[in-house]
Amino acid sequence: MRTSQYLLATQKETPAEAEVISHQLMLRAGMVRKLASGLYTWLPTGLRVLNKVAAIVRDEMNKAGAIEISMPVVQPGDLWVESGRWDDYGPELLRIKDRHNRDFVLGPTHEEVVTSLVKNEISSYKQLPLNLYQIQTKFRDEVRPRFGIMRSREFIMKDAYSFHIDAQSLDQTYQRMHQAYCNVFERIGLSYRPVIADSGSIGGAVSHEFHVLADSGEDDIAYSDASDYAANVELAEAIALGQVRAGSAQLTLVDTPGAKTIQAIATLLKCDVKQTVKTLIVKADETSEHEFVALVLRGDHSLNSIKVEKLALIASPLQMADEAAVKAKLYCGFGSLGPVGLSIPVIVDRSAETVADFICGANTEAQHFTGANWQRDVKTYVVEDIRDVVAGDPSPDGNGTLAITKGIEVGHIFQLGDKYSKAMNCGVLTETGKHDLLQMGCYGIGVTRIVAAAIEQHNDKFGIIWPQSIAPFSVVIIPMNMHKSALVKEVAEKLYKDLCDVGVDVLFDDRKERPGVMFNDMELIGIPYSVVIGERNLDNQQIEIKNRKSGEKTLLEVDNLLEYIKNLG
RNA sequence: CGGUGAGUGGCGCAGCUUGGUAGCGCACCUGGUUUGGGUCCAGGGGGUCGUAGGUUCGAAUCCUAUCUCACCGACCA
């Protein structure tokens, strides 16, 4: 491709709206343009990258035994009513009507369509397992699209759906897809981590997310420094810090005027915050005889709302009690609450239970207890895991300690079980001739999001640094002063033709621009190698090739160049 | 949905308080100059000032309504 016949579309200035680096660079490098909130046009350079990512994903899917299909973007609303998601999915599901006033949706995902397909096409266990996938545009009407391509409303996703006669078969395919996902991210050249993801709401189901590690990620990932354990902080298990032990101190009431926060108490009583516990009051579940439940955490820990919501006693979604209601019920405000002598159910975090002789509110304004102990001073309570893990916690698998990093979710795999096959009655005849519902798995990769995530991970002050695997071009020819030098032009043209002939993705910058302009544009776009052709080196029969990532320049004989480029990674 | 801020040429912005012929930088076009890291000079084209209504002799500027966008939060995966 010649730049003179291409839509390069680079920009010097960053549009004001671009917040994250990938968004800024994608706009400046001429990869995408915004059409409306969360909607982007992909320009030639961006599309080249997108297509390369898609090709790798497709290849790994095929290798893993998945079969490609293509389903409609527009789906009948009836299917969503059937699965129950017409009501459950909420406003993120964009609903439209056709000319006959029938309901349709723009597909945010395709469980309904694919289940409907398989229900009609598959009738025998002999046809299983089956794994179908597509690479296709999805639409989710996000409340707040942001970070450019990272969280847009329209995006491209690879979604696969597998169908099985039993859980064992599902698990086999699940493991195969897990491996295929690892292969994809390794081939692209991203630093990533598979993490344990939410599995609670569908009961017994298994789920993993794949995260590209980057500081701008929206998720916190906890991982072990000594094993493969990694989980989203939302659900990483927090194990007890130390043993439960009996204390020796006397339960003592102390005055703590004005001290309403844990920090203030610790300062006032000159103790470690780890010696305190804090008590939070939340709404109880409707089925409970109580209105409120008390949650007790060690002073320095924070509540994990996802874990708490899963407890039967607690209302879901989680609702914190308001202070006026707490005062009416318990006769004191937030700052002086404690588990001793409380008239509502008490749930204690595992690590809070290990604190002996602790300090807590006395349920009287401006007073606290010191030397409090479980069992002795608080008779009835339940111990649960209700806090967020923090860096330095022991890993739940018993190996090493946890560290926390930011991640961008680029893949999510899930053992669905029979959720959809049951709702839509999708089954087959088994070996014994009886009708059985299918077990399903679903597996998503955000193809467009990978492009943005790759940039978040690979950039410098000059622009993007593409891994060779997904670079829009493998190499760019930058001629110096070609419009004056017949020799430069001749060498550049010949090299361009030779590279095209051997199938290298080459860009030839034949614009009548100053060298600096060309260098800057090509570094911004992030092409892995630049071949600089100038009279200065041609006089010695040499050509310079520069590595975008390392900045390293190599001088080569003109005659050896073609071979050298063909052998580049 | 709540809070905050912004809509002026393709992009980045000034002008608005105090109403009076719409400006700057980048980009673009022409000519010259320069040519191994975003040259310099001269000339030029392009804007219903988000939209609608109002006040006024006169509105980018004041008033009202409305739309859009961004950021923070909530929500979602």
Side-chain angles (χ1 to χ4, degrees):
Chain A
M1 182 58 66
R2 293 169 187 266
T3 50
S4 62
Q5 289 160 32
Y6 186 67
L7 184 58
L8 208 54
T10 54
Q11 295 180 322
K12 270 190 200 174
E13 286 176 285
T14 306
E17 67 189 42
E19 182 82 3
V20 294
I21 193 74
S22 62
H23 191 194
Q24 294 172 2
L25 290 175
M26 287 178 87
L27 291 169
R28 286 222 292 139
M31 292 178 66
V32 294
R33 289 290 182 265
K34 188 173 83 170
L35 179 64
S37 180
L39 302 176
Y40 289 85
T41 296
W42 287 76
L43 299 177
T45 307
L47 187 61
R48 282 178 163 261
V49 177
L50 195 55
N51 285 340
K52 291 200 175 183
V53 172
I56 291 172
V57 171
R58 178 176 284 119
D59 188 49
E60 291 297 333
M61 285 302 108
N62 292 342
K63 282 182 184 163
I67 313 163
E68 186 167 13
I69 60 173
S70 180
M71 294 179 272
V73 175
V74 176
Q75 311 175 7
D78 289 351
L79 280 180
W80 287 72
V81 172
E82 199 179 337
S83 73
R85 291 208 289 185
W86 180 263
D87 294 323
D88 292 349
Y89 212 93
E92 230 174 86
L93 181 64
L94 184 65
R95 296 149 216 251
I96 51 178
K97 284 185 185 291
D98 71 1
R99 62 164 70 195
H100 304 296
N101 206 35
R102 285 188 291 243
D103 287 315
F104 285 84
V105 307
L106 279 191
T109 175
H110 281 68
E111 281 85 3
E112 282 80 3
V113 178
V114 77
T115 305
S116 157
L117 174 78
V118 168
K119 176 182 174 179
N120 291 326
E121 300 302 321
I122 303 295
S123 48
S124 163
Y125 74 95
K126 294 175 191 168
Q127 294 169 287
L128 299 176
L130 183 66
N131 189 0
L132 300 173
Y133 80 96
Q134 62 175 351
I135 295 174
Q136 193 221 34
T137 298
K138 302 275 186 258
F139 191 92
R140 291 184 190 171
D141 201 357
E142 293 279 350
V143 186
R144 178 142 101 83
R146 57 183 139 173
F147 303 146
I149 290 302
M150 203 97 87
R151 184 176 284 265
S152 53
R153 293 196 289 179
E154 192 178 292
F155 58 97
I156 295 174
M157 182 162 134
K158 185 286 302 174
D159 47 328
Y161 307 88
S162 69
F163 297 84
H164 311 270
I165 194 68
D166 57 27
Q168 190 194 352
S169 167
L170 167 58
D171 195 56
Q172 277 173 9
T173 296
Y174 185 85
Q175 298 307 335
R176 214 168 162 188
M177 293 300 272
H178 189 291
Q179 184 58 51
Y181 275 41
C182 292
N183 296 347
V184 166
F185 299 121
E186 254 151 50
R187 262 178 78 175
I188 292 174
L190 296 175
S191 167
Y192 74 102
R193 195 111 193 188
V195 311
I196 301 166
D198 195 352
S199 62
S201 58
I202 304 184
V206 177
S207 178
H208 285 85
E209 292 168 350
F210 289 78
H211 284 261
V212 166
L213 305 181
D215 291 339
S216 57
E218 292 185 83
D219 292 284
D220 286 311
I221 309 300
Y223 64 97
S224 167
D225 61 1
S227 73
D228 283 343
Y229 179 86
N232 199 312
V233 164
E234 288 177 346
L235 29 114
E237 184 183 358
I239 62 179
L241 299 171
Q243 298 293 316
V244 179
R245 57 201 161 86
S248 52
Q250 288 281 318
L251 183 67
T252 310
L253 195 59
V254 294
D255 287 331
T256 51
K260 291 189 183 244
T261 64
I262 288 293
Q263 196 53 55
I265 292 294
T267 306
L268 183 71
L269 300 179
K270 298 186 175 55
C271 68
D272 193 332
V273 288
K274 291 177 181 170
Q275 199 55 40
T276 68
V277 302
K278 60 183 167 191
T279 305
L280 308 172
I281 307 297
V282 300
K283 294 255 174 72
D285 189 72
E286 289 173 353
T287 60
S288 166
E289 57 185 294
H290 295 279
E291 186 185 358
F292 296 117
V293 176
L295 305 175
V296 181
L297 295 158
R298 203 174 76 181
D300 58 325
H301 287 149
S302 63
L303 184 69
N304 181 308
S305 59
I306 301 217
K307 291 177 180 176
V308 174
E309 280 174 8
K310 287 178 187 166
L311 300 177
L313 207 54
I314 310 289
S316 180
L318 184 67
Q319 289 176 276
M320 303 301 290
D322 67 68
E323 190 153 13
V326 168
K327 275 188 176 164
K329 174 89 180 168
L330 304 171
Y331 312 111
C332 81
F334 286 163
S336 301
L337 289 168
V340 179
L342 217 48
S343 59
I344 58 175
V346 175
I347 297 175
V348 180
D349 182 67
R350 291 167 173 178
S351 293
E353 194 198 11
T354 66
V355 187
D357 300 331
F358 59 80
I359 295 161
C360 65
N363 299 320
T364 311
E365 288 297 344
Q367 290 197 310
H368 281 72
F369 285 120
T370 63
N373 281 286
W374 303 107
Q375 305 286 351
R376 190 189 72 189
D377 305 318
V378 186
K379 302 290 186 223
T380 51
Y381 56 91
V382 181
V383 178
E384 298 282 359
D385 169 19
I386 57 172
R387 71 173 173 96
D388 286 324
V389 294
V390 294
D393 279 354
S395 176
D397 70 351
N399 297 310
T401 58
L402 294 179
I404 292 178
T405 187
K406 294 277 186 189
I408 301 166
E409 182 189 343
V410 290
H412 198 162
I413 61 178
F414 210 104
Q415 294 190 9
L416 290 172
D418 63 4
K419 179 176 179 178
Y420 295 93
S421 53
K422 193 171 185 179
M424 301 177 69
N425 191 28
C426 174
V428 295
L429 287 183
T430 67
E431 217 167 346
T432 55
K434 99 180 187 328
H435 187 85
D436 227 354
L437 292 176
L438 297 185
Q439 296 292 310
M440 285 177 63
C442 76
Y443 319 89
I445 285 186
V447 177
T448 39
R449 189 179 273 191
I450 283 177
V451 176
I455 296 171
E456 290 290 335
Q457 213 172 66
H458 299 281
N459 67 79
D460 64 12
K461 64 179 175 178
F462 301 111
I464 303 167
I465 305 171
W466 289 114
Q468 184 67 261
S469 59
I470 58 171
F473 297 95
S474 301
V475 57
V476 56
I477 299 169
I478 304 179
M480 298 293 103
N481 205 15
M482 179 173 77
H483 297 273
K484 287 270 177 67
S485 165
L487 177 61
V488 168
K489 183 172 174 61
E490 184 195 324
V491 174
E493 289 283 358
K494 179 168 188 311
L495 178 64
Y496 175 61
K497 182 176 183 303
D498 289 346
L499 287 171
C500 287
D501 286 349
V502 296
V504 172
D505 263 332
V506 56
L507 183 65
F508 181 14
D509 198 348
D510 62 344
R511 292 177 296 172
K512 197 174 173 180
E513 286 287 357
R514 294 174 58 81
V517 174
M518 293 194 276
F519 288 134
N520 282 309
D521 271 347
M522 296 308 146
E523 277 161 10
L524 174 61
I525 294 170
I527 300 174
Y529 293 95
S530 302
V531 175
V532 184
I533 301 176
E535 285 196 317
R536 203 168 72 187
N537 287 323
L538 283 179
D539 288 345
N540 304 318
Q541 292 298 303
Q542 284 183 318
I543 285 179
E544 175 188 307
I545 184 159
K546 183 176 177 184
N547 183 310
R548 171 67 179 88
K549 187 174 182 181
S550 67
E552 184 188 356
K553 297 174 182 174
T554 311
L555 281 175
L556 294 168
E557 299 293 314
V558 174
D559 295 338
N560 298 337
L561 187 65
L562 189 60
E563 206 52 36
Y564 183 87
I565 291 174
K566 277 161 71 178
N567 293 330
L568 290 174

Short mmCIF file of all heavy atoms in Angstrom, two decimals, chain A residues 270-309:
data_model
loop_
_atom_site.label_atom_id
_atom_site.label_comp_id
_atom_site.label_asym_id
_atom_site.label_seq_id
_atom_site.Cartn_x
_atom_site.Cartn_y
_atom_site.Cartn_z
N LYS A 270 -4.77 5.27 70.93
CA LYS A 270 -3.37 4.92 70.63
C LYS A 270 -3.19 3.43 70.38
O LYS A 270 -2.38 2.75 71.02
CB LYS A 270 -2.47 5.37 71.79
CG LYS A 270 -2.49 6.88 72.01
CD LYS A 270 -1.47 7.30 73.05
CE LYS A 270 -1.39 8.80 73.20
NZ LYS A 270 -2.71 9.42 73.50
N CYS A 271 -3.99 2.92 69.45
CA CYS A 271 -3.86 1.50 69.13
C CYS A 271 -3.84 1.33 67.61
O CYS A 271 -4.12 2.25 66.86
CB CYS A 271 -5.03 0.71 69.73
SG CYS A 271 -6.59 1.11 68.95
N ASP A 272 -3.51 0.13 67.17
CA ASP A 272 -3.49 -0.22 65.75
C ASP A 272 -4.93 -0.39 65.26
O ASP A 272 -5.75 -0.96 65.97
CB ASP A 272 -2.72 -1.55 65.62
CG ASP A 272 -2.36 -1.84 64.17
OD1 ASP A 272 -3.12 -1.38 63.28
OD2 ASP A 272 -1.35 -2.51 63.94
N VAL A 273 -5.22 0.08 64.05
CA VAL A 273 -6.58 -0.11 63.52
C VAL A 273 -6.90 -1.60 63.41
O VAL A 273 -8.05 -2.00 63.43
CB VAL A 273 -6.80 0.55 62.14
CG1 VAL A 273 -6.85 2.05 62.28
CG2 VAL A 273 -5.74 0.12 61.16
N LYS A 274 -5.87 -2.43 63.32
CA LYS A 274 -6.11 -3.87 63.21
C LYS A 274 -6.65 -4.45 64.52
O LYS A 274 -7.07 -5.59 64.56
CB LYS A 274 -4.80 -4.58 62.83
CG LYS A 274 -4.37 -4.27 61.41
CD LYS A 274 -3.05 -4.91 61.07
CE LYS A 274 -2.66 -4.56 59.65
NZ LYS A 274 -1.29 -4.95 59.34
N GLN A 275 -6.58 -3.66 65.58
CA GLN A 275 -7.10 -4.12 66.87
C GLN A 275 -8.58 -3.72 67.04
O GLN A 275 -9.22 -4.08 68.01
CB GLN A 275 -6.23 -3.53 68.00
CG GLN A 275 -6.33 -4.24 69.34
CD GLN A 275 -6.01 -5.73 69.23
OE1 GLN A 275 -5.10 -6.12 68.50
NE2 GLN A 275 -6.79 -6.56 69.91
N THR A 276 -9.10 -2.98 66.07
CA THR A 276 -10.50 -2.55 66.15
C THR A 276 -11.35 -3.38 65.21
O THR A 276 -10.85 -4.01 64.28
CB THR A 276 -10.64 -1.07 65.72
OG1 THR A 276 -10.37 -0.98 64.31
CG2 THR A 276 -9.66 -0.18 66.47
N VAL A 277 -12.65 -3.39 65.46
CA VAL A 277 -13.59 -3.93 64.48
C VAL A 277 -14.64 -2.86 64.21
O VAL A 277 -14.93 -2.03 65.07
CB VAL A 277 -14.28 -5.23 64.96
CG1 VAL A 277 -13.25 -6.29 65.28
CG2 VAL A 277 -15.22 -4.98 66.12
N LYS A 278 -15.16 -2.87 62.98
CA LYS A 278 -16.22 -1.91 62.67
C LYS A 278 -17.50 -2.67 62.35
O LYS A 278 -17.47 -3.82 61.90
CB LYS A 278 -15.80 -1.01 61.51
CG LYS A 278 -15.50 -1.70 60.21
CD LYS A 278 -15.04 -0.65 59.21
CE LYS A 278 -14.42 -1.28 57.98
NZ LYS A 278 -13.75 -0.28 57.14
N THR A 279 -18.60 -2.01 62.59
CA THR A 279 -19.91 -2.65 62.47
C THR A 279 -20.77 -1.86 61.49
O THR A 279 -20.95 -0.65 61.66
CB THR A 279 -20.58 -2.70 63.85
OG1 THR A 279 -19.69 -3.35 64.76
CG2 THR A 279 -21.90 -3.46 63.78
N LEU A 280 -21.21 -2.57 60.44
CA LEU A 280 -22.05 -1.92 59.43
C LEU A 280 -23.44 -2.52 59.50
O LEU A 280 -23.59 -3.72 59.72
CB LEU A 280 -21.47 -2.17 58.03
CG LEU A 280 -19.99 -1.83 57.85
CD1 LEU A 280 -19.50 -2.32 56.49
CD2 LEU A 280 -19.77 -0.33 57.97
N ILE A 281 -24.44 -1.69 59.32
CA ILE A 281 -25.82 -2.18 59.39
C ILE A 281 -26.43 -2.16 57.99
O ILE A 281 -26.41 -1.14 57.30
CB ILE A 281 -26.68 -1.30 60.32
CG1 ILE A 281 -26.01 -1.15 61.69
CG2 ILE A 281 -28.09 -1.89 60.45
CD1 ILE A 281 -25.85 -2.43 62.46
N VAL A 282 -26.93 -3.32 57.54
CA VAL A 282 -27.56 -3.40 56.22
C VAL A 282 -28.96 -3.98 56.35
O VAL A 282 -29.30 -4.58 57.38
CB VAL A 282 -26.72 -4.27 55.25
CG1 VAL A 282 -25.33 -3.69 55.08
CG2 VAL A 282 -26.64 -5.71 55.74
N LYS A 283 -29.75 -3.80 55.29
CA LYS A 283 -31.11 -4.32 55.30
C LYS A 283 -31.08 -5.85 55.21
O LYS A 283 -30.30 -6.42 54.46
CB LYS A 283 -31.88 -3.77 54.09
CG LYS A 283 -32.09 -2.26 54.16
CD LYS A 283 -33.53 -1.94 54.52
CE LYS A 283 -33.72 -0.45 54.74
NZ LYS A 283 -33.67 0.31 53.49
N ALA A 284 -31.97 -6.47 55.97
CA ALA A 284 -32.08 -7.93 55.93
C ALA A 284 -32.95 -8.34 54.75
O ALA A 284 -33.72 -7.53 54.21
CB ALA A 284 -32.66 -8.45 57.23
N ASP A 285 -32.86 -9.60 54.38
CA ASP A 285 -33.70 -10.11 53.31
C ASP A 285 -35.16 -10.06 53.74
O ASP A 285 -35.48 -10.17 54.93
CB ASP A 285 -33.30 -11.56 53.00
CG ASP A 285 -34.00 -12.06 51.76
OD1 ASP A 285 -33.63 -11.60 50.67
OD2 ASP A 285 -34.92 -12.89 51.89
N GLU A 286 -36.05 -9.91 52.76
CA GLU A 286 -37.49 -9.79 53.05
C GLU A 286 -38.04 -10.97 53.85
O GLU A 286 -38.96 -10.83 54.64
CB GLU A 286 -38.28 -9.68 51.74
CG GLU A 286 -38.08 -8.36 51.03
CD GLU A 286 -38.74 -8.38 49.67
OE1 GLU A 286 -39.22 -9.44 49.25
OE2 GLU A 286 -38.74 -7.31 49.03
N THR A 287 -37.45 -12.13 53.60
CA THR A 287 -37.97 -13.33 54.26
C THR A 287 -37.52 -13.41 55.72
O THR A 287 -38.01 -14.26 56.46
CB THR A 287 -37.47 -14.59 53.52
OG1 THR A 287 -36.04 -14.58 53.56
CG2 THR A 287 -37.93 -14.60 52.09
N SER A 288 -36.61 -12.55 56.11
CA SER A 288 -36.10 -12.61 57.48
C SER A 288 -37.08 -11.95 58.44
O SER A 288 -37.82 -11.03 58.07
CB SER A 288 -34.75 -11.91 57.55
OG SER A 288 -34.38 -11.67 58.88
N GLU A 289 -37.07 -12.40 59.71
CA GLU A 289 -37.91 -11.76 60.72
C GLU A 289 -37.29 -10.45 61.19
O GLU A 289 -37.92 -9.66 61.86
CB GLU A 289 -38.09 -12.72 61.92
CG GLU A 289 -36.76 -13.12 62.52
CD GLU A 289 -36.92 -14.17 63.63
OE1 GLU A 289 -37.50 -13.84 64.66
OE2 GLU A 289 -36.47 -15.32 63.42
N HIS A 290 -36.04 -10.25 60.85
CA HIS A 290 -35.37 -9.02 61.27
C HIS A 290 -35.38 -7.99 60.14
O HIS A 290 -35.47 -8.33 58.97
CB HIS A 290 -33.92 -9.32 61.65
CG HIS A 290 -33.81 -10.21 62.85
ND1 HIS A 290 -33.93 -9.76 64.13
CD2 HIS A 290 -33.62 -11.56 62.93
CE1 HIS A 290 -33.80 -10.78 64.96
NE2 HIS A 290 -33.62 -11.89 64.26
N GLU A 291 -35.26 -6.73 60.56
CA GLU A 291 -35.20 -5.66 59.56
C GLU A 291 -33.76 -5.41 59.13
O GLU A 291 -33.48 -5.15 57.97
CB GLU A 291 -35.80 -4.38 60.18
CG GLU A 291 -35.91 -3.25 59.17
CD GLU A 291 -36.39 -1.96 59.81
OE1 GLU A 291 -36.67 -1.96 61.03
OE2 GLU A 291 -36.47 -0.95 59.09
N PHE A 292 -32.84 -5.51 60.11
CA PHE A 292 -31.44 -5.22 59.82
C PHE A 292 -30.53 -6.38 60.21
O PHE A 292 -30.90 -7.22 61.03
CB PHE A 292 -30.98 -3.98 60.61
CG PHE A 292 -31.71 -2.73 60.22
CD1 PHE A 292 -32.50 -2.05 61.15
CD2 PHE A 292 -31.61 -2.23 58.94
CE1 PHE A 292 -33.17 -0.89 60.79
CE2 PHE A 292 -32.28 -1.07 58.58
CZ PHE A 292 -33.07 -0.40 59.51
N VAL A 293 -29.33 -6.36 59.62
CA VAL A 293 -28.30 -7.31 60.00
C VAL A 293 -27.02 -6.51 60.22
O VAL A 293 -26.75 -5.54 59.50
CB VAL A 293 -28.06 -8.35 58.88
CG1 VAL A 293 -26.91 -9.29 59.24
CG2 VAL A 293 -29.32 -9.15 58.59
N ALA A 294 -26.25 -6.90 61.24
CA ALA A 294 -24.98 -6.23 61.50
C ALA A 294 -23.84 -7.02 60.86
O ALA A 294 -23.81 -8.25 60.94
CB ALA A 294 -24.74 -6.11 63.00
N LEU A 295 -22.94 -6.31 60.19
CA LEU A 295 -21.77 -6.94 59.57
C LEU A 295 -20.54 -6.41 60.29
O LEU A 295 -20.38 -5.20 60.44
CB LEU A 295 -21.69 -6.58 58.09
CG LEU A 295 -22.95 -6.91 57.27
CD1 LEU A 295 -22.78 -6.38 55.85
CD2 LEU A 295 -23.20 -8.41 57.25
N VAL A 296 -19.68 -7.31 60.71
CA VAL A 296 -18.51 -6.88 61.48
C VAL A 296 -17.23 -7.21 60.73
O VAL A 296 -17.01 -8.35 60.31
CB VAL A 296 -18.48 -7.56 62.87
CG1 VAL A 296 -17.28 -7.08 63.68
CG2 VAL A 296 -19.78 -7.27 63.62
N LEU A 297 -16.41 -6.20 60.55
CA LEU A 297 -15.14 -6.33 59.84
C LEU A 297 -14.01 -5.80 60.70
O LEU A 297 -14.24 -4.93 61.55
CB LEU A 297 -15.17 -5.49 58.56
CG LEU A 297 -16.14 -5.88 57.48
CD1 LEU A 297 -16.41 -4.69 56.58
CD2 LEU A 297 -15.59 -7.04 56.67
N ARG A 298 -12.81 -6.31 60.45
CA ARG A 298 -11.67 -5.70 61.12
C ARG A 298 -11.56 -4.25 60.64
O ARG A 298 -11.87 -3.97 59.47
CB ARG A 298 -10.39 -6.48 60.78
CG ARG A 298 -9.29 -6.28 61.82
CD ARG A 298 -8.11 -7.17 61.53
NE ARG A 298 -7.31 -6.65 60.42
CZ ARG A 298 -6.21 -7.25 59.95
NH1 ARG A 298 -5.82 -8.40 60.47
NH2 ARG A 298 -5.54 -6.71 58.97
N GLY A 299 -11.08 -3.37 61.51
CA GLY A 299 -11.11 -1.94 61.24
C GLY A 299 -10.50 -1.52 59.91
O GLY A 299 -10.97 -0.57 59.28
N ASP A 300 -9.48 -2.21 59.45
CA ASP A 300 -8.79 -1.79 58.23
C ASP A 300 -9.32 -2.49 56.98
O ASP A 300 -8.80 -2.26 55.89
CB ASP A 300 -7.28 -2.07 58.38
CG ASP A 300 -6.98 -3.53 58.66
OD1 ASP A 300 -7.79 -4.18 59.35
OD2 ASP A 300 -5.95 -4.03 58.17
N HIS A 301 -10.34 -3.33 57.10
CA HIS A 301 -10.86 -4.04 55.93
C HIS A 301 -12.09 -3.36 55.35
O HIS A 301 -12.76 -2.58 56.01
CB HIS A 301 -11.19 -5.49 56.31
CG HIS A 301 -9.96 -6.33 56.50
ND1 HIS A 301 -9.91 -7.39 57.38
CD2 HIS A 301 -8.74 -6.26 55.92
CE1 HIS A 301 -8.70 -7.94 57.34
NE2 HIS A 301 -7.96 -7.26 56.46
N SER A 302 -12.39 -3.68 54.07
CA SER A 302 -13.56 -3.09 53.44
C SER A 302 -14.56 -4.19 53.06
O SER A 302 -14.19 -5.33 52.76
CB SER A 302 -13.16 -2.29 52.21
OG SER A 302 -12.58 -3.13 51.25
N LEU A 303 -15.82 -3.81 53.06
CA LEU A 303 -16.90 -4.74 52.79
C LEU A 303 -16.95 -5.10 51.31
O LEU A 303 -16.80 -4.23 50.45
CB LEU A 303 -18.23 -4.09 53.21
CG LEU A 303 -19.47 -4.97 53.10
CD1 LEU A 303 -19.44 -6.08 54.13
CD2 LEU A 303 -20.73 -4.12 53.26
N ASN A 304 -17.19 -6.38 51.02
CA ASN A 304 -17.36 -6.81 49.63
C ASN A 304 -18.85 -7.06 49.40
O ASN A 304 -19.42 -8.03 49.89
CB ASN A 304 -16.55 -8.09 49.38
CG ASN A 304 -16.68 -8.57 47.96
OD1 ASN A 304 -17.78 -8.72 47.45
ND2 ASN A 304 -15.57 -8.81 47.30
N SER A 305 -19.47 -6.15 48.64
CA SER A 305 -20.93 -6.20 48.53
C SER A 305 -21.39 -7.44 47.75
O SER A 305 -22.46 -7.98 48.01
CB SER A 305 -21.44 -4.93 47.86
OG SER A 305 -20.86 -4.78 46.59
N ILE A 306 -20.57 -7.91 46.82
CA ILE A 306 -20.98 -9.09 46.04
C ILE A 306 -21.06 -10.32 46.91
O ILE A 306 -21.99 -11.12 46.82
CB ILE A 306 -19.98 -9.31 44.89
CG1 ILE A 306 -19.96 -8.05 44.04
CG2 ILE A 306 -20.31 -10.58 44.12
CD1 ILE A 306 -19.84 -8.23 42.59
N LYS A 307 -20.08 -10.48 47.77
CA LYS A 307 -20.09 -11.63 48.68
C LYS A 307 -21.28 -11.54 49.62
O LYS A 307 -21.95 -12.54 49.89
CB LYS A 307 -18.79 -11.66 49.50
CG LYS A 307 -17.56 -12.01 48.68
CD LYS A 307 -16.31 -11.94 49.57
CE LYS A 307 -15.05 -12.27 48.78
NZ LYS A 307 -13.84 -12.12 49.61
N VAL A 308 -21.53 -10.36 50.15
CA VAL A 308 -22.59 -10.19 51.14
C VAL A 308 -23.96 -10.47 50.53
O VAL A 308 -24.81 -11.11 51.13
CB VAL A 308 -22.55 -8.76 51.73
CG1 VAL A 308 -23.74 -8.53 52.64
CG2 VAL A 308 -21.25 -8.56 52.49
N GLU A 309 -24.16 -10.01 49.31
CA GLU A 309 -25.46 -10.18 48.66
C GLU A 309 -25.83 -11.65 48.50
O GLU A 309 -27.01 -12.00 48.42
CB GLU A 309 -25.46 -9.53 47.28
CG GLU A 309 -25.66 -8.04 47.34
CD GLU A 309 -25.50 -7.39 45.98
OE1 GLU A 309 -25.37 -8.13 44.97
OE2 GLU A 309 -25.50 -6.16 45.92
#
